Amino acid sequence: MMEERTYEMIGDGRNILVRPMKEEDAAAVALLEAAVFSQPWSRQDFLDVLKKEEVLYVVAADGERIVGCCGVWNIGGDGNISNVLVEESQRHQGIGRLLLQTLLTWGEKQGITAYTLEVRASNAPAIHLYESLGFERAGIRPRFYKKPEEDALIMWKR
């Protein structure tokens, strides 16, 4: 299991704690995901995934409030990043970057040598973030997303 870490946000000076997600976080994360995604995971989906040894989900907490989440699945040395979300009012403050950097650091310690993720083709801010972390565009998954239907851009960091 990974250690808890506190990061000070440059900009507004808040301390954001990035830590492994716990079972008691599942309801708050599911609510946050429902506010962000058109096809959100349920509380039970998060509880189920937290039981898997090859998976790490982390949350970003501002005090007691969870403002972000993301996870990585270690699949034979490849990291599949999923559920990258930040509360809408908290975006563009570095929280998504902190979450992803935490997962990348953990993944290296677990022997992950490459990472992949899917992102809506129209999500320019997320694509920019992923590219700034070394991800490259590798392909398209046609009509991957629903509500609204949209292609996914496949990205890899090797």
Side-chain angles (χ1 to χ4, degrees), residues 32-33 36-37 46 57-58 68-72 80-87 91 95-97 99-100 103 116-119 123 126 129-130 133 135:
L32 179 58
E33 181 149 296
V36 173
F37 293 144
F46 284 106
Y57 270 75
V58 293
C69 173
C70 66
V72 64
N80 184 10
I81 295 177
S82 62
N83 303 84
V84 180
L85 62 130
V86 174
E87 182 179 301
R91 292 183 186 161
I95 295 170
R97 179 176 299 280
L99 287 164
L100 288 163
L103 288 183
T116 187
L117 56 81
E118 289 95 4
V119 59
N123 192 343
L129 170 62
Y130 303 143
L133 291 169
F135 285 82

Side-chain angles (χ1 to χ4, degrees), residues 4-150:
E4 291 192 16
R5 299 165 104 173
T6 302
Y7 295 90
E8 184 169 323
M9 300 296 291
I10 298 172
D12 64 6
R14 288 180 299 152
N15 284 323
I16 300 294
L17 176 68
V18 177
R19 61 166 172 78
M21 185 175 165
K22 303 173 188 172
E23 286 185 4
E24 54 266 28
D25 299 325
V29 171
L31 284 173
L32 179 58
E33 181 149 296
V36 173
F37 293 144
S38 62
Q39 293 182 281
W41 282 19
S42 69
R43 175 183 172 274
Q44 189 60 51
D45 292 330
F46 284 106
L47 289 173
D48 291 345
V49 80
L50 289 176
K51 295 175 185 170
K52 299 182 181 299
E53 282 188 36
E54 69 276 12
V55 177
L56 174 67
Y57 270 75
V58 293
V59 294
D62 185 0
E64 296 297 314
R65 192 169 112 238
I66 292 176
V67 295
C69 173
C70 66
V72 64
W73 299 60
N74 184 350
I75 304 170
D78 286 342
N80 184 10
I81 295 177
S82 62
N83 303 84
V84 180
L85 62 130
V86 174
E87 182 179 301
E88 191 168 349
S89 68
Q90 302 298 308
R91 292 183 186 161
H92 309 291
Q93 297 178 41
I95 295 170
R97 179 176 299 280
L98 290 174
L99 287 164
L100 288 163
Q101 287 173 326
T102 300
L103 288 183
L104 295 173
T105 298
W106 176 83
E108 287 175 17
K109 293 176 183 175
Q110 302 305 310
I112 296 175
T113 57
Y115 298 85
T116 187
L117 56 81
E118 289 95 4
V119 59
R120 282 185 180 271
S122 65
N123 192 343
I127 293 167
H128 176 73
L129 170 62
Y130 303 143
E131 288 176 336
S132 76
L133 291 169
F135 285 82
E136 296 178 350
R137 301 166 192 231
I140 299 286
R141 291 195 200 285
R143 299 177 303 282
F144 181 78
Y145 292 104
K146 309 296 180 218
K147 298 181 183 179
E149 187 173 282
E150 185 174 354

